[in-house]
Amino acid sequence: MGFAGQHIISIGDFSAEDIRELLRLAHRIEQDPPPDLFRNRLMATLFFEPSTRTRLSFEAAMQKCGGTVIGFSEAAMTSARKGESLADTIRMVEQYSDVIVLRHPRDGSARLAAEVSSVPVINGGDGANQHPSQTFLDLYTIDKLFPNCFAEHEDQPLTVAFAGDLRYGRTVHSLLAALSHFHVRVLCCAPHGLEMPDHHVRLAQQQGIEVQEVEHLADAVAQADVLYMTRLQEERFPDPIEFDHVKNTYRLTAQLLTHAKPHLRVLHPLPRVNEIARDVDTTPHACYFAQAGNGIPVRQALLSLVLGLAP
Ligand code: CP
């Protein structure tokens, strides 16, 4: 579909070539960031749910290249508290800004916002549904770690293992859909009841991707080139007792990594709670903090494309 003037709502809207275009641009921007790229452009960040990385890295991406930012990080301080609808909020903010980044607890909220907005809306996470800018930075990180793995004629499939809460974790839903364009093999390793939803697996399989369930984290560690860990999304569990049953069931430790391939790289969208032990941080496998840093060039690339400013 391309990017210029587009809303960024679901990773499913983008082709393999769109993704490669974004990754190429992010590489160029990372090497030589244009200081005035976003001069006279204003971004609004509307965050109805907590965030550290997504909001701050979008804001840093904009400001480092000469743009300005307005927004909020807490809906309680806005007129949503007085009952203003999301659609009306967007109809206001589109008049103040050139692009809107929205995070909202309801699935489908970003799509709704896009329907009423005349400026591009970027989905910064809608409920358990999608988080496309996170997916672009995940892909960028994997591409840097395994150069050419997303090339058109790559022979050797990359094995990507997803582990943790695959039911409520939106980042894994987006990433599985994106990886389905490429030559990968996917392993899914989740506590009982938190498996990857069937419709996401079916979509990937229809694209020709092998998706295999793996019961034990140790098996995923042993087979994977990339291990993508996720936090249990406590806030999305309908029943706290259900959460208590599964918490602490999946924990990656340095000891477990002694069975990994030497080149295994561990990613995590963060924040982590206790699913990755601190002793993993100092192993050569840990890449999650560098992954978060990649949010800057990737979001600069995304903003420049939707604003029609690509250098
Ligand atoms: N990865 C991510 O979305 O982090 P935040 O919730 O801190 O934005």
Side-chain angles (χ1 to χ4, degrees):
M1 119 171 165
F3 291 92
Q6 293 295 337
H7 305 291
I8 309 293
I9 305 303
S10 166
I11 200 74
D13 296 336
F14 299 94
S15 67
E17 196 38 52
D18 292 332
I19 292 169
R20 289 192 193 101
E21 178 189 351
L22 186 283
L23 300 188
R24 281 193 297 270
L25 180 59
H27 277 291
R28 284 214 313 273
I29 288 181
E30 184 172 20
Q31 266 144 40
D32 188 14
D36 292 326
L37 183 60
F38 300 131
R39 191 142 61 96
N40 299 326
R41 294 298 196 284
L42 194 151
M43 176 182 73
T45 50
L46 313 186
F47 276 63
F48 291 84
E49 260 197 345
S51 166
T52 297
R53 277 146 292 274
T54 307
R55 186 173 65 84
L56 294 181
S57 67
F58 262 114
E59 294 187 358
M62 195 72 183
Q63 294 186 18
K64 278 170 177 266
C65 287
T68 50
V69 177
I70 57 171
F72 56 81
S73 56
E74 222 186 317
M77 301 302 289
T78 73
S79 287
R81 184 77 186 269
K82 302 178 210 161
E84 187 164 45
S85 69
L86 175 62
D88 282 0
T89 303
I90 297 294
R91 287 187 185 103
M92 296 300 98
V93 177
E94 67 165 349
Q95 299 181 60
Y96 311 148
S97 61
D98 300 298
V99 58
I100 295 171
V101 182
L102 173 72
R103 172 170 288 189
H104 199 281
R106 279 204 307 276
D107 292 25
S109 51
R111 186 76 69 191
L112 184 152
E115 279 166 14
V116 298
S117 178
S118 59
V119 302
V121 172
I122 300 178
N123 182 2
D126 62 327
N129 186 33
Q130 283 267 332
H131 193 351
S133 69
Q134 176 71 44
T135 302
F136 286 125
L137 85 84
D138 294 339
L139 294 167
Y140 184 70
T141 303
I142 295 170
D143 188 50
K144 276 171 83 174
L145 293 168
F146 298 92
N148 296 319
C149 65
F150 301 136
E152 211 158 341
H153 303 295
E154 178 58 32
D155 289 335
Q156 193 61 34
L158 194 73
T159 299
V160 179
F162 292 119
D165 181 352
L166 309 188
R167 178 178 178 184
Y168 297 117
R170 57 193 169 204
T171 62
V172 289
H173 303 160
S174 293
L175 186 54
L176 176 60
L179 288 172
S180 301
H181 290 298
F182 304 108
H183 194 194
V184 297
R185 175 175 162 249
V186 172
L187 308 176
C188 291
C189 184
H192 183 64
L194 296 181
E195 292 87 356
M196 183 72 80
D198 282 344
H199 63 279
H200 291 296
V201 173
R202 266 200 308 278
L203 273 176
Q205 287 171 335
Q206 280 163 10
Q207 297 267 88
I209 299 301
E210 181 189 336
V211 183
Q212 192 186 329
E213 281 201 17
V214 175
E215 193 179 343
H216 300 292
L217 185 56
D219 294 332
V221 166
Q223 294 182 55
D225 301 308
V226 173
L227 174 62
Y228 193 96
M229 296 291 298
T230 62
R231 173 180 69 88
L232 296 191
Q233 309 278 305
E234 181 176 2
E235 66 277 23
R236 304 199 200 289
F237 277 67
D239 180 353
I241 295 171
E242 194 193 336
F243 176 74
D244 281 342
H245 277 309
V246 292
K247 74 176 183 196
N248 304 326
T249 51
Y250 272 61
R251 182 166 164 82
L252 183 68
T253 60
Q255 168 61 28
L256 211 51
L257 284 167
T258 56
H259 304 292
K261 296 175 185 172
H263 65 254
L264 169 74
R265 292 294 175 263
V266 179
L267 304 186
H268 190 310
L270 304 177
R272 72 158 156 205
V273 184
N274 59 1
E275 61 280 359
I276 299 182
R278 297 290 186 270
D279 65 5
V280 175
D281 297 356
T282 49
T283 70
H285 302 288
C287 281
Y288 25 91
F289 294 119
Q291 176 189 0
N294 288 333
I296 300 280
V298 168
R299 288 178 168 126
Q300 286 170 331
L302 199 52
L303 286 164
S304 70
L305 284 167
V306 300
L307 289 169
L309 301 169

